[in-house]
Amino acid sequence: MRRAELGLYLVTDSGVTSGRDLVAMVEKAVSGGVTMVQVREKHSETGDFVDLAMKMKEVLAPYHVPLIINDRIDVALAVDADGVHIGQKDMPYALARQILGPGKIIGLSIETLDELEVANDQDVDYVAASPVFATPTKTDTARPWGLDGLREFCLRSAHPVVAIGGMNESTVTEVMEAGADGVAVVSAILAADDPQAAARNISRLLQASMGNHQRQNNRR
């Protein structure tokens, strides 16, 4: 996995699309600058999840955007997805790696510094600081990290970091300045009237933040 692929990481949630076609919205978002897509459908039957994942894979292939499946390793295997994202209560990381093999991406949600220390000793591809800010799209999480917590998280992480929770146009710049490698966005794109424009605007903010980091590093 390339670190840059974490830049604008879209996580799906059909509950915020106001009944619009999720696959079509994701394609618009990708054309606007999304660099990775995680399909997260907590309440879908297995057959429906596989069908959706296959459609997503077909849409993403021309853009060379990785397809990540949330939690469901069986679905990831069924559609030959690029990887999975798992939480602390899902299948243990070591077993997930054993099943998927070394060529697949595995991301891991982290809610405490103790969990981060454990992850530092594992060959995960990236870790997610979850959540940075409180968000209505995911309520079963620990206390938000906040910007100071995220800053410490990024300093202590041995792996690339994606920030999730409350990511939108008003927060992505400060989150990137805190050290994140990317942001995981849900409603700021999928609930927008124009997902392509929303993705494009956030992508521009991310690129500007990355440019600022590069200029600061060049001055050192």
Side-chain angles (χ1 to χ4, degrees), residues 133 147 166-175 188 201-202 205:
F133 305 115
L147 288 175
M167 298 298 105
N168 53 53
E169 289 185 36
S170 66
T171 60
V172 296
T173 297
E174 57 188 1
V175 163
N201 291 340
I202 294 174
L205 291 170

Side-chain angles (χ1 to χ4, degrees), residues 50 82 84 106 154 177:
V50 169
D82 295 288
V84 297
I106 301 182
C154 293
E177 289 175 349

Side-chain angles (χ1 to χ4, degrees), residues 8-14 16-17 22 26 34 36-41 56 68 70 85 126 137-138 162-165 183-190:
L8 182 48
Y9 188 152
L10 178 64
V11 180
T12 72
D13 182 349
S14 56
V16 303
T17 63
L22 180 61
V26 168
V34 163
M36 184 176 283
V37 173
Q38 179 190 139
V39 180
R40 185 177 72 188
E41 296 297 321
M56 289 291 186
I68 307 298
N70 179 264
H85 184 90
Y126 70 88
T137 61
K138 191 169 176 59
V162 61
I164 188 168
V183 295
V185 180
V186 186
S187 57
I189 291 177
L190 293 180

Side-chain angles (χ1 to χ4, degrees), residues 54-76:
M54 286 297 295
K55 291 176 179 176
M56 289 291 186
K57 184 177 179 180
E58 292 174 4
V59 163
L60 298 179
Y63 297 93
H64 305 289
V65 168
L67 171 65
I68 307 298
I69 302 298
N70 179 264
D71 294 351
R72 296 289 300 274
I73 292 176
D74 57 333
V75 174

